[in-house]
Amino acid sequence: MDILPPGSLIGKYPVTRLMSAGGMGMIYEAVHPVLGTRVVIKTIRSELAHDPSIIERFFKEALATSRIRDERLPQIFDQDRLDDNTPYIVMEYLDGEDLAARLSRGPMPFEYAARIVLAIPAGRHRVRQLGRIHR
């Protein structure tokens, strides 16, 4: 699957924009076609989408994450495959600013930075309580 332009469909979800692309896949913002809510859709790159071990790991990630209830982590709503067999995961859109963008604006107040630093191990601890290891 190549990078999809706005208006393309991933399953029933119209793509709004590409949020990021990495070595394993792409992250898109999309809209639920009935509810109008924003969602995030994670896909695997087409060159990897036919490797059974990668697909299995991708869907296991979705299943494991769907069992975690924590305000620091997005909820998983769905998982499926496109017609070309590319797997995707639909998850909650968390509104906010990524850390790199925030850091590009300059130093953060100590209290704000401390909240972020403390939230990371708390989220990882929650994942590990369920017997999962975050890569």
Side-chain angles (χ1 to χ4, degrees):
M1 179 168 98
D2 295 322
I3 293 176
L4 298 172
S8 301
L9 291 178
I10 298 178
K12 65 183 179 181
Y13 301 90
V15 170
T16 306
R17 67 184 172 105
L18 175 69
M19 297 174 75
S20 67
M24 292 289 291
M26 282 78 69
I27 307 287
Y28 294 95
E29 179 182 336
V31 177
H32 189 287
V34 176
L35 303 175
T37 54
R38 296 186 327 187
V39 296
V40 172
I41 301 180
K42 182 177 184 178
T43 66
I44 293 179
R45 289 193 172 279
S46 57
E47 60 269 21
L48 303 173
H50 301 288
D51 181 327
S53 64
I54 290 175
I55 292 171
E56 180 182 6
R57 191 170 72 210
F58 185 77
F59 283 141
K60 279 184 176 181
E61 172 191 332
L63 182 60
T65 305
S66 73
R67 294 181 175 153
I68 301 169
R69 298 288 184 256
D70 190 288
E71 66 185 18
R72 292 171 290 263
L73 303 170
Q75 293 299 295
I76 303 296
F77 297 143
D78 198 6
Q79 67 178 31
D80 205 347
R81 294 175 189 247
L82 298 174
D83 291 338
D84 70 355
N85 209 36
T86 300
Y88 65 91
I89 299 170
V90 181
M91 62 187 90
E92 176 184 13
Y93 181 93
L94 297 176
D95 198 17
E97 180 178 37
D98 71 35
L99 185 56
R102 175 57 191 88
L103 290 173
S104 72
R105 292 185 310 165
M108 291 183 250
F110 175 79
E111 296 80 12
Y112 184 73
R115 277 196 341 229
I116 292 171
V117 168
L118 294 174
I120 294 168
R124 290 183 64 154
H125 176 71
R126 183 72 184 111
V127 170
R128 287 182 183 207
Q129 282 180 318
L130 295 171
R132 304 295 175 202
I133 298 173
H134 185 270
R135 295 178 185 230

